[in-house]
Amino acid sequence: MHYSDVIRINGYLTIAIGIAMLPCLAVDMIQGQQSASVFGISSGLAVLLGMLVVLATDNRKSHDLGIREAFLLTTCTWSYLPLVGALPFMIGAPDVGLTDAYFEAVSGMTTTGSTVFERIESLPQSTLLWRGILQWLGGLGIVVVAMIFLPVLGLGGMQFFRSEGFDTLGKILPRAPDIARALLGTYILLTVLCWLSYRILGMSTLDATVVSMSTLSTGGFANSDASFAAFSGPLEYVSSVFMLLASMPFIRFVQLSHGDTKPLFQDVQVRTYLRWTGYSIAAVVIWRLIHESTGFWTVLRETTFNMVTLFSGTGYASADVVSWGSFPITVILAVGLIGGCTASTGCSIKIFRWLVVIEAIKAQIRRIQAPHAVVKPKLGAKPIEEDVFNSVIAFFALFIVTMGLLIVGLDLTGLHISTSITAAWTSIANVGPAYGPEVSSSGALTSFPTMAKWLMIFGMLAGRLEILTVFVLFTPTFWRL
C-alpha cells in the first residue's frame, strides 16, 4: 500500500479547496464585510496545510494507483475534504461547533442537502456562496479534478474512476484524463446554461449562482429557509429540466456533443428513468386531484417539481409534501431510494441496479416456468454478467442492512421513529429532507442529538461512496500486503 501517494493527492486537493474559497473572499471584500477575514484565514490555512502535505511526501517515488489505493483515496478524500470545507463555518460562526460545521460540509460535498442552519437567508452572502461551491465540487468537480491531477503525479486514474461508481458506458475517449476533461466541460456548460435560465426568469445573481450549482450537483442547498418555495412558477419547470439532465449519464452528453445521438436516446437507463419519473408524477397528481380542491395546473406544477427533485436526490422543496397524504409520502420515499442514472451526479441506489435486479427476477421466474430452458438476463441488448449481478446483489443487501442499522441507531438517540426512518433514508440515499417532530419548520436538523448527526454523517458518506467502497476498508484482507 503506497500511503504517500494517497496523502499527496489529498494535499493537492486541499490546496484546490483553499483556492475555491477565494471567490467567497472576493465577495466579502467587494461588499466591505468584516467577515472577509474568515475566508482569508480559511483559504490561507487550507493552502498552507496542502503545501506542507505535498512537500512532506514529494520526495517519495510515485507509483501506479492500484485498486486498494484507489478505494482508500476515495474514502479518505470524501471524509477529509469536508473537514477543510468546514473551516469557514467554524471560524466565521463561533456558535457553530465541529459537529454542525462538519455535518454541513459533508452534506454539501456528498450533495445530500440536509442542513443544521436555520435562518439561512441571514447568513453572509459569502457563506451562502460557499455552500453552493461545496455542492458543485461534490457533484462531479472533486472527482474530475482528482482525475486530472493523477496523470500529473505520474499515477493511473481509471481505478479511481471506477471506485467512484462511474461507468463510462461505452467511452469514446481513449484515456482517463480525456474523459475527465470532457465530463468537466459538460458539467460547467450545463451549470452556465442553468444559471442563465434562472437569471432570465428573475433570480438574483447570488440566488442563480448558488441554486444553479446545487441544481446541477443535485445537492439542494438554497439561500433561504423556504428552499425553492420563493421561486414558484416557471422556475420550477426550468429547474425540473436541469435536475433531470443532471441525473442522466454525463458521458451521453459528451457523445451527443460529438454528434452521436443514438447512445442517449437508446440508453435503457435514460428511458427507464424518464418513464418512472412520469409514472410517479402521474400517480401523485391523480391522488391530489381526487383528495384536494387545488387547481389542476398548480397540482401539476408542484407535483412535477417536488417529485423530480426527490427522484433526482436534489432535495429542494416548494410545497409541504407531508400535507399531501400518506400515498404521496410513500411514493416520495420509494423514488428517493431509486435515484438517478449511473455516471450522473445523482445518488441513491440508481436505476442501473434496479434494472439488473428486475431482469434477474424475471429470468428466475422464466427458469421456474421452464426448468430446462437456458435463460440469460439482459439489460437492453447486452447480457448481464454474473459478476455484475453478484456485485449488485451485494450492494442491495449491504444498503438495506446499513439503512436498517442507521434507523435503529437514530432511534436509540431519542429521535421519534418517523424521524429516524426518514433521517436514515435521506442520509444514505443522499436525498436531503427529513420528516418528523424533531425537524424544524424550515427543515433544519438543528435540534438533533449530536450522536444522531454523526450517524447521519456516516450514512451520507457511505451512501455517496456507494456503500461497498467504505466497507471494504473494514475487511482484514484489504490491509494484507
PDB file of all heavy atoms in Angstrom, residues 361-393:
ATOM      1  N   ILE A 361     -34.825 -11.153 -11.566  1.00  0.00           N
ATOM      2  CA  ILE A 361     -36.070 -11.741 -11.058  1.00  0.00           C
ATOM      3  C   ILE A 361     -36.880 -12.324 -12.209  1.00  0.00           C
ATOM      4  O   ILE A 361     -37.422 -13.438 -12.125  1.00  0.00           O
ATOM      5  CB  ILE A 361     -36.882 -10.690 -10.287  1.00  0.00           C
ATOM      6  CG1 ILE A 361     -36.144 -10.296  -8.996  1.00  0.00           C
ATOM      7  CG2 ILE A 361     -38.279 -11.204  -9.963  1.00  0.00           C
ATOM      8  CD1 ILE A 361     -36.779  -9.138  -8.250  1.00  0.00           C
ATOM      9  N   LYS A 362     -36.963 -11.583 -13.317  1.00  0.00           N
ATOM     10  CA  LYS A 362     -37.711 -12.080 -14.490  1.00  0.00           C
ATOM     11  C   LYS A 362     -37.093 -13.373 -15.022  1.00  0.00           C
ATOM     12  O   LYS A 362     -37.801 -14.320 -15.388  1.00  0.00           O
ATOM     13  CB  LYS A 362     -37.706 -11.021 -15.593  1.00  0.00           C
ATOM     14  CG  LYS A 362     -38.580  -9.812 -15.275  1.00  0.00           C
ATOM     15  CD  LYS A 362     -38.174  -8.680 -16.196  1.00  0.00           C
ATOM     16  CE  LYS A 362     -39.293  -8.142 -16.985  1.00  0.00           C
ATOM     17  NZ  LYS A 362     -38.906  -7.073 -17.910  1.00  0.00           N
ATOM     18  N   ALA A 363     -35.754 -13.399 -15.042  1.00  0.00           N
ATOM     19  CA  ALA A 363     -35.069 -14.595 -15.532  1.00  0.00           C
ATOM     20  C   ALA A 363     -35.338 -15.788 -14.622  1.00  0.00           C
ATOM     21  O   ALA A 363     -35.539 -16.915 -15.091  1.00  0.00           O
ATOM     22  CB  ALA A 363     -33.569 -14.331 -15.638  1.00  0.00           C
ATOM     23  N   GLN A 364     -35.352 -15.542 -13.321  1.00  0.00           N
ATOM     24  CA  GLN A 364     -35.602 -16.629 -12.377  1.00  0.00           C
ATOM     25  C   GLN A 364     -37.025 -17.159 -12.520  1.00  0.00           C
ATOM     26  O   GLN A 364     -37.258 -18.370 -12.436  1.00  0.00           O
ATOM     27  CB  GLN A 364     -35.363 -16.147 -10.945  1.00  0.00           C
ATOM     28  CG  GLN A 364     -35.419 -17.228  -9.891  1.00  0.00           C
ATOM     29  CD  GLN A 364     -34.379 -18.310 -10.105  1.00  0.00           C
ATOM     30  OE1 GLN A 364     -33.293 -18.047 -10.627  1.00  0.00           O
ATOM     31  NE2 GLN A 364     -34.699 -19.539  -9.742  1.00  0.00           N
ATOM     32  N   ILE A 365     -37.968 -16.267 -12.743  1.00  0.00           N
ATOM     33  CA  ILE A 365     -39.368 -16.699 -12.953  1.00  0.00           C
ATOM     34  C   ILE A 365     -39.474 -17.556 -14.208  1.00  0.00           C
ATOM     35  O   ILE A 365     -40.169 -18.581 -14.233  1.00  0.00           O
ATOM     36  CB  ILE A 365     -40.302 -15.471 -13.042  1.00  0.00           C
ATOM     37  CG1 ILE A 365     -40.380 -14.769 -11.676  1.00  0.00           C
ATOM     38  CG2 ILE A 365     -41.689 -15.878 -13.515  1.00  0.00           C
ATOM     39  CD1 ILE A 365     -41.154 -13.475 -11.690  1.00  0.00           C
ATOM     40  N   ARG A 366     -38.760 -17.152 -15.273  1.00  0.00           N
ATOM     41  CA  ARG A 366     -38.782 -17.943 -16.511  1.00  0.00           C
ATOM     42  C   ARG A 366     -38.151 -19.317 -16.291  1.00  0.00           C
ATOM     43  O   ARG A 366     -38.591 -20.316 -16.870  1.00  0.00           O
ATOM     44  CB  ARG A 366     -38.061 -17.194 -17.632  1.00  0.00           C
ATOM     45  CG  ARG A 366     -38.834 -15.980 -18.158  1.00  0.00           C
ATOM     46  CD  ARG A 366     -38.287 -15.507 -19.486  1.00  0.00           C
ATOM     47  NE  ARG A 366     -36.936 -14.967 -19.369  1.00  0.00           N
ATOM     48  CZ  ARG A 366     -36.649 -13.697 -19.132  1.00  0.00           C
ATOM     49  NH1 ARG A 366     -37.631 -12.815 -18.956  1.00  0.00           N
ATOM     50  NH2 ARG A 366     -35.402 -13.296 -19.054  1.00  0.00           N
ATOM     51  N   ARG A 367     -37.092 -19.386 -15.471  1.00  0.00           N
ATOM     52  CA  ARG A 367     -36.459 -20.676 -15.182  1.00  0.00           C
ATOM     53  C   ARG A 367     -37.411 -21.598 -14.430  1.00  0.00           C
ATOM     54  O   ARG A 367     -37.407 -22.812 -14.632  1.00  0.00           O
ATOM     55  CB  ARG A 367     -35.193 -20.460 -14.358  1.00  0.00           C
ATOM     56  CG  ARG A 367     -34.044 -19.801 -15.116  1.00  0.00           C
ATOM     57  CD  ARG A 367     -32.752 -19.842 -14.324  1.00  0.00           C
ATOM     58  NE  ARG A 367     -31.711 -19.040 -14.954  1.00  0.00           N
ATOM     59  CZ  ARG A 367     -31.340 -17.836 -14.543  1.00  0.00           C
ATOM     60  NH1 ARG A 367     -31.954 -17.287 -13.487  1.00  0.00           N
ATOM     61  NH2 ARG A 367     -30.401 -17.169 -15.167  1.00  0.00           N
ATOM     62  N   ILE A 368     -38.212 -21.017 -13.521  1.00  0.00           N
ATOM     63  CA  ILE A 368     -39.184 -21.823 -12.781  1.00  0.00           C
ATOM     64  C   ILE A 368     -40.255 -22.366 -13.730  1.00  0.00           C
ATOM     65  O   ILE A 368     -40.681 -23.518 -13.617  1.00  0.00           O
ATOM     66  CB  ILE A 368     -39.821 -20.985 -11.658  1.00  0.00           C
ATOM     67  CG1 ILE A 368     -38.761 -20.630 -10.599  1.00  0.00           C
ATOM     68  CG2 ILE A 368     -40.986 -21.719 -11.007  1.00  0.00           C
ATOM     69  CD1 ILE A 368     -39.246 -19.668  -9.543  1.00  0.00           C
ATOM     70  N   GLN A 369     -40.665 -21.517 -14.673  1.00  0.00           N
ATOM     71  CA  GLN A 369     -41.695 -21.925 -15.628  1.00  0.00           C
ATOM     72  C   GLN A 369     -41.160 -22.945 -16.633  1.00  0.00           C
ATOM     73  O   GLN A 369     -41.895 -23.833 -17.075  1.00  0.00           O
ATOM     74  CB  GLN A 369     -42.238 -20.697 -16.367  1.00  0.00           C
ATOM     75  CG  GLN A 369     -42.983 -19.723 -15.464  1.00  0.00           C
ATOM     76  CD  GLN A 369     -43.331 -18.433 -16.177  1.00  0.00           C
ATOM     77  OE1 GLN A 369     -42.722 -18.081 -17.193  1.00  0.00           O
ATOM     78  NE2 GLN A 369     -44.324 -17.711 -15.654  1.00  0.00           N
ATOM     79  N   ALA A 370     -39.884 -22.802 -16.993  1.00  0.00           N
ATOM     80  CA  ALA A 370     -39.271 -23.721 -17.967  1.00  0.00           C
ATOM     81  C   ALA A 370     -37.914 -24.158 -17.426  1.00  0.00           C
ATOM     82  O   ALA A 370     -36.884 -23.571 -17.772  1.00  0.00           O
ATOM     83  CB  ALA A 370     -39.123 -23.046 -19.324  1.00  0.00           C
ATOM     84  N   PRO A 371     -37.869 -25.171 -16.558  1.00  0.00           N
ATOM     85  CA  PRO A 371     -36.621 -25.557 -15.871  1.00  0.00           C
ATOM     86  C   PRO A 371     -35.482 -25.925 -16.808  1.00  0.00           C
ATOM     87  O   PRO A 371     -34.316 -25.778 -16.437  1.00  0.00           O
ATOM     88  CB  PRO A 371     -37.055 -26.772 -15.028  1.00  0.00           C
ATOM     89  CG  PRO A 371     -38.539 -26.624 -14.869  1.00  0.00           C
ATOM     90  CD  PRO A 371     -39.006 -25.985 -16.138  1.00  0.00           C
ATOM     91  N   HIS A 372     -35.779 -26.417 -17.996  1.00  0.00           N
ATOM     92  CA  HIS A 372     -34.717 -26.861 -18.896  1.00  0.00           C
ATOM     93  C   HIS A 372     -34.269 -25.779 -19.880  1.00  0.00           C
ATOM     94  O   HIS A 372     -33.364 -26.009 -20.684  1.00  0.00           O
ATOM     95  CB  HIS A 372     -35.191 -28.097 -19.680  1.00  0.00           C
ATOM     96  CG  HIS A 372     -35.571 -29.248 -18.796  1.00  0.00           C
ATOM     97  ND1 HIS A 372     -34.652 -29.953 -18.057  1.00  0.00           N
ATOM     98  CD2 HIS A 372     -36.787 -29.797 -18.521  1.00  0.00           C
ATOM     99  CE1 HIS A 372     -35.270 -30.903 -17.372  1.00  0.00           C
ATOM    100  NE2 HIS A 372     -36.574 -30.825 -17.633  1.00  0.00           N
ATOM    101  N   ALA A 373     -34.896 -24.615 -19.805  1.00  0.00           N
ATOM    102  CA  ALA A 373     -34.529 -23.527 -20.724  1.00  0.00           C
ATOM    103  C   ALA A 373     -33.256 -22.835 -20.249  1.00  0.00           C
ATOM    104  O   ALA A 373     -32.976 -22.758 -19.053  1.00  0.00           O
ATOM    105  CB  ALA A 373     -35.665 -22.522 -20.827  1.00  0.00           C
ATOM    106  N   VAL A 374     -32.477 -22.381 -21.216  1.00  0.00           N
ATOM    107  CA  VAL A 374     -31.284 -21.598 -20.900  1.00  0.00           C
ATOM    108  C   VAL A 374     -31.679 -20.125 -20.927  1.00  0.00           C
ATOM    109  O   VAL A 374     -31.957 -19.555 -21.997  1.00  0.00           O
ATOM    110  CB  VAL A 374     -30.149 -21.873 -21.909  1.00  0.00           C
ATOM    111  CG1 VAL A 374     -28.944 -20.996 -21.589  1.00  0.00           C
ATOM    112  CG2 VAL A 374     -29.771 -23.342 -21.899  1.00  0.00           C
ATOM    113  N   VAL A 375     -31.729 -19.512 -19.756  1.00  0.00           N
ATOM    114  CA  VAL A 375     -32.192 -18.128 -19.635  1.00  0.00           C
ATOM    115  C   VAL A 375     -31.038 -17.249 -19.182  1.00  0.00           C
ATOM    116  O   VAL A 375     -30.403 -17.515 -18.159  1.00  0.00           O
ATOM    117  CB  VAL A 375     -33.361 -18.024 -18.631  1.00  0.00           C
ATOM    118  CG1 VAL A 375     -33.836 -16.575 -18.539  1.00  0.00           C
ATOM    119  CG2 VAL A 375     -34.496 -18.948 -19.033  1.00  0.00           C
ATOM    120  N   LYS A 376     -30.765 -16.234 -19.961  1.00  0.00           N
ATOM    121  CA  LYS A 376     -29.694 -15.295 -19.636  1.00  0.00           C
ATOM    122  C   LYS A 376     -30.297 -13.905 -19.494  1.00  0.00           C
ATOM    123  O   LYS A 376     -30.799 -13.331 -20.460  1.00  0.00           O
ATOM    124  CB  LYS A 376     -28.639 -15.285 -20.748  1.00  0.00           C
ATOM    125  CG  LYS A 376     -27.422 -14.416 -20.463  1.00  0.00           C
ATOM    126  CD  LYS A 376     -26.502 -15.040 -19.440  1.00  0.00           C
ATOM    127  CE  LYS A 376     -25.211 -14.237 -19.298  1.00  0.00           C
ATOM    128  NZ  LYS A 376     -24.325 -14.787 -18.262  1.00  0.00           N
ATOM    129  N   PRO A 377     -30.300 -13.331 -18.276  1.00  0.00           N
ATOM    130  CA  PRO A 377     -30.864 -11.991 -18.121  1.00  0.00           C
ATOM    131  C   PRO A 377     -30.077 -10.964 -18.930  1.00  0.00           C
ATOM    132  O   PRO A 377     -28.849 -11.032 -19.021  1.00  0.00           O
ATOM    133  CB  PRO A 377     -30.741 -11.727 -16.615  1.00  0.00           C
ATOM    134  CG  PRO A 377     -29.692 -12.661 -16.122  1.00  0.00           C
ATOM    135  CD  PRO A 377     -29.764 -13.860 -17.014  1.00  0.00           C
ATOM    136  N   LYS A 378     -30.796 -10.006 -19.515  1.00  0.00           N
ATOM    137  CA  LYS A 378     -30.169  -8.983 -20.341  1.00  0.00           C
ATOM    138  C   LYS A 378     -30.607  -7.603 -19.898  1.00  0.00           C
ATOM    139  O   LYS A 378     -31.720  -7.414 -19.391  1.00  0.00           O
ATOM    140  CB  LYS A 378     -30.539  -9.171 -21.820  1.00  0.00           C
ATOM    141  CG  LYS A 378     -29.982 -10.438 -22.448  1.00  0.00           C
ATOM    142  CD  LYS A 378     -30.328 -10.500 -23.929  1.00  0.00           C
ATOM    143  CE  LYS A 378     -29.736 -11.740 -24.579  1.00  0.00           C
ATOM    144  NZ  LYS A 378     -30.047 -11.802 -26.039  1.00  0.00           N
ATOM    145  N   LEU A 379     -29.729  -6.650 -20.110  1.00  0.00           N
ATOM    146  CA  LEU A 379     -30.038  -5.251 -19.886  1.00  0.00           C
ATOM    147  C   LEU A 379     -29.938  -4.566 -21.237  1.00  0.00           C
ATOM    148  O   LEU A 379     -28.833  -4.353 -21.746  1.00  0.00           O
ATOM    149  CB  LEU A 379     -29.076  -4.622 -18.872  1.00  0.00           C
ATOM    150  CG  LEU A 379     -29.419  -3.210 -18.385  1.00  0.00           C
ATOM    151  CD1 LEU A 379     -30.789  -3.194 -17.718  1.00  0.00           C
ATOM    152  CD2 LEU A 379     -28.368  -2.699 -17.417  1.00  0.00           C
ATOM    153  N   GLY A 380     -31.093  -4.268 -21.828  1.00  0.00           N
ATOM    154  CA  GLY A 380     -31.093  -3.824 -23.209  1.00  0.00           C
ATOM    155  C   GLY A 380     -30.774  -5.016 -24.093  1.00  0.00           C
ATOM    156  O   GLY A 380     -31.392  -6.065 -24.005  1.00  0.00           O
ATOM    157  N   ALA A 381     -29.743  -4.850 -24.929  1.00  0.00           N
ATOM    158  CA  ALA A 381     -29.334  -5.956 -25.805  1.00  0.00           C
ATOM    159  C   ALA A 381     -28.155  -6.716 -25.245  1.00  0.00           C
ATOM    160  O   ALA A 381     -27.726  -7.729 -25.808  1.00  0.00           O
ATOM    161  CB  ALA A 381     -28.984  -5.404 -27.190  1.00  0.00           C
ATOM    162  N   LYS A 382     -27.595  -6.274 -24.113  1.00  0.00           N
ATOM    163  CA  LYS A 382     -26.387  -6.880 -23.573  1.00  0.00           C
ATOM    164  C   LYS A 382     -26.727  -7.825 -22.425  1.00  0.00           C
ATOM    165  O   LYS A 382     -27.501  -7.479 -21.535  1.00  0.00           O
ATOM    166  CB  LYS A 382     -25.428  -5.796 -23.081  1.00  0.00           C
ATOM    167  CG  LYS A 382     -24.917  -4.872 -24.182  1.00  0.00           C
ATOM    168  CD  LYS A 382     -23.938  -3.853 -23.634  1.00  0.00           C
ATOM    169  CE  LYS A 382     -23.411  -2.939 -24.742  1.00  0.00           C
ATOM    170  NZ  LYS A 382     -22.468  -1.924 -24.195  1.00  0.00           N
ATOM    171  N   PRO A 383     -26.126  -9.004 -22.420  1.00  0.00           N
ATOM    172  CA  PRO A 383     -26.349  -9.929 -21.297  1.00  0.00           C
ATOM    173  C   PRO A 383     -25.703  -9.390 -20.021  1.00  0.00           C
ATOM    174  O   PRO A 383     -24.663  -8.729 -20.065  1.00  0.00           O
ATOM    175  CB  PRO A 383     -25.676 -11.228 -21.770  1.00  0.00           C
ATOM    176  CG  PRO A 383     -24.675 -10.796 -22.788  1.00  0.00           C
ATOM    177  CD  PRO A 383     -25.250  -9.582 -23.455  1.00  0.00           C
ATOM    178  N   ILE A 384     -26.320  -9.681 -18.892  1.00  0.00           N
ATOM    179  CA  ILE A 384     -25.789  -9.254 -17.604  1.00  0.00           C
ATOM    180  C   ILE A 384     -24.833 -10.327 -17.105  1.00  0.00           C
ATOM    181  O   ILE A 384     -25.237 -11.471 -16.870  1.00  0.00           O
ATOM    182  CB  ILE A 384     -26.917  -9.035 -16.582  1.00  0.00           C
ATOM    183  CG1 ILE A 384     -27.896  -7.982 -17.099  1.00  0.00           C
ATOM    184  CG2 ILE A 384     -26.352  -8.626 -15.236  1.00  0.00           C
ATOM    185  CD1 ILE A 384     -29.130  -7.824 -16.230  1.00  0.00           C
ATOM    186  N   GLU A 385     -23.567  -9.969 -16.950  1.00  0.00           N
ATOM    187  CA  GLU A 385     -22.577 -10.930 -16.491  1.00  0.00           C
ATOM    188  C   GLU A 385     -22.809 -11.274 -15.023  1.00  0.00           C
ATOM    189  O   GLU A 385     -23.352 -10.485 -14.256  1.00  0.00           O
ATOM    190  CB  GLU A 385     -21.166 -10.369 -16.683  1.00  0.00           C
ATOM    191  CG  GLU A 385     -20.813 -10.024 -18.122  1.00  0.00           C
ATOM    192  CD  GLU A 385     -20.857 -11.238 -19.038  1.00  0.00           C
ATOM    193  OE1 GLU A 385     -20.614 -12.359 -18.551  1.00  0.00           O
ATOM    194  OE2 GLU A 385     -21.153 -11.064 -20.238  1.00  0.00           O
ATOM    195  N   GLU A 386     -22.353 -12.468 -14.649  1.00  0.00           N
ATOM    196  CA  GLU A 386     -22.597 -12.954 -13.291  1.00  0.00           C
ATOM    197  C   GLU A 386     -21.923 -12.078 -12.242  1.00  0.00           C
ATOM    198  O   GLU A 386     -22.479 -11.842 -11.174  1.00  0.00           O
ATOM    199  CB  GLU A 386     -22.099 -14.395 -13.161  1.00  0.00           C
ATOM    200  CG  GLU A 386     -22.445 -15.024 -11.812  1.00  0.00           C
ATOM    201  CD  GLU A 386     -22.062 -16.483 -11.735  1.00  0.00           C
ATOM    202  OE1 GLU A 386     -21.615 -17.032 -12.759  1.00  0.00           O
ATOM    203  OE2 GLU A 386     -22.184 -17.073 -10.647  1.00  0.00           O
ATOM    204  N   ASP A 387     -20.707 -11.575 -12.544  1.00  0.00           N
ATOM    205  CA  ASP A 387     -20.019 -10.747 -11.553  1.00  0.00           C
ATOM    206  C   ASP A 387     -20.754  -9.422 -11.334  1.00  0.00           C
ATOM    207  O   ASP A 387     -20.763  -8.890 -10.217  1.00  0.00           O
ATOM    208  CB  ASP A 387     -18.569 -10.496 -11.966  1.00  0.00           C
ATOM    209  CG  ASP A 387     -18.449  -9.791 -13.310  1.00  0.00           C
ATOM    210  OD1 ASP A 387     -19.422  -9.868 -14.098  1.00  0.00           O
ATOM    211  OD2 ASP A 387     -17.412  -9.158 -13.578  1.00  0.00           O
ATOM    212  N   VAL A 388     -21.382  -8.897 -12.403  1.00  0.00           N
ATOM    213  CA  VAL A 388     -22.177  -7.672 -12.252  1.00  0.00           C
ATOM    214  C   VAL A 388     -23.387  -7.944 -11.371  1.00  0.00           C
ATOM    215  O   VAL A 388     -23.694  -7.178 -10.446  1.00  0.00           O
ATOM    216  CB  VAL A 388     -22.629  -7.140 -13.630  1.00  0.00           C
ATOM    217  CG1 VAL A 388     -23.594  -5.966 -13.460  1.00  0.00           C
ATOM    218  CG2 VAL A 388     -21.422  -6.730 -14.466  1.00  0.00           C
ATOM    219  N   PHE A 389     -24.068  -9.060 -11.635  1.00  0.00           N
ATOM    220  CA  PHE A 389     -25.237  -9.411 -10.847  1.00  0.00           C
ATOM    221  C   PHE A 389     -24.858  -9.615  -9.380  1.00  0.00           C
ATOM    222  O   PHE A 389     -25.545  -9.148  -8.470  1.00  0.00           O
ATOM    223  CB  PHE A 389     -25.877 -10.679 -11.411  1.00  0.00           C
ATOM    224  CG  PHE A 389     -26.988 -11.224 -10.568  1.00  0.00           C
ATOM    225  CD1 PHE A 389     -28.204 -10.561 -10.481  1.00  0.00           C
ATOM    226  CD2 PHE A 389     -26.824 -12.390  -9.840  1.00  0.00           C
ATOM    227  CE1 PHE A 389     -29.235 -11.051  -9.696  1.00  0.00           C
ATOM    228  CE2 PHE A 389     -27.842 -12.888  -9.050  1.00  0.00           C
ATOM    229  CZ  PHE A 389     -29.053 -12.220  -8.979  1.00  0.00           C
ATOM    230  N   ASN A 390     -23.755 -10.310  -9.133  1.00  0.00           N
ATOM    231  CA  ASN A 390     -23.326 -10.564  -7.755  1.00  0.00           C
ATOM    232  C   ASN A 390     -23.005  -9.276  -7.012  1.00  0.00           C
ATOM    233  O   ASN A 390     -23.348  -9.114  -5.830  1.00  0.00           O
ATOM    234  CB  ASN A 390     -22.104 -11.494  -7.748  1.00  0.00           C
ATOM    235  CG  ASN A 390     -22.437 -12.902  -8.180  1.00  0.00           C
ATOM    236  OD1 ASN A 390     -23.590 -13.327  -8.096  1.00  0.00           O
ATOM    237  ND2 ASN A 390     -21.441 -13.638  -8.655  1.00  0.00           N
ATOM    238  N   SER A 391     -22.337  -8.353  -7.689  1.00  0.00           N
ATOM    239  CA  SER A 391     -21.990  -7.082  -7.037  1.00  0.00           C
ATOM    240  C   SER A 391     -23.243  -6.262  -6.740  1.00  0.00           C
ATOM    241  O   SER A 391     -23.322  -5.595  -5.699  1.00  0.00           O
ATOM    242  CB  SER A 391     -21.023  -6.281  -7.908  1.00  0.00           C
ATOM    243  OG  SER A 391     -21.643  -5.867  -9.115  1.00  0.00           O
ATOM    244  N   VAL A 392     -24.223  -6.316  -7.638  1.00  0.00           N
ATOM    245  CA  VAL A 392     -25.470  -5.579  -7.414  1.00  0.00           C
ATOM    246  C   VAL A 392     -26.229  -6.160  -6.225  1.00  0.00           C
ATOM    247  O   VAL A 392     -26.733  -5.429  -5.367  1.00  0.00           O
ATOM    248  CB  VAL A 392     -26.346  -5.593  -8.683  1.00  0.00           C
ATOM    249  CG1 VAL A 392     -27.757  -5.094  -8.372  1.00  0.00           C
ATOM    250  CG2 VAL A 392     -25.712  -4.736  -9.775  1.00  0.00           C
ATOM    251  N   ILE A 393     -26.303  -7.480  -6.148  1.00  0.00           N
ATOM    252  CA  ILE A 393     -26.986  -8.122  -5.027  1.00  0.00           C
ATOM    253  C   ILE A 393     -26.270  -7.794  -3.719  1.00  0.00           C
ATOM    254  O   ILE A 393     -26.911  -7.511  -2.692  1.00  0.00           O
ATOM    255  CB  ILE A 393     -27.056  -9.645  -5.241  1.00  0.00           C
ATOM    256  CG1 ILE A 393     -27.953  -9.964  -6.434  1.00  0.00           C
ATOM    257  CG2 ILE A 393     -27.573 -10.341  -3.986  1.00  0.00           C
ATOM    258  CD1 ILE A 393     -29.375  -9.470  -6.297  1.00  0.00           C
TER     259      ILE A 393
END
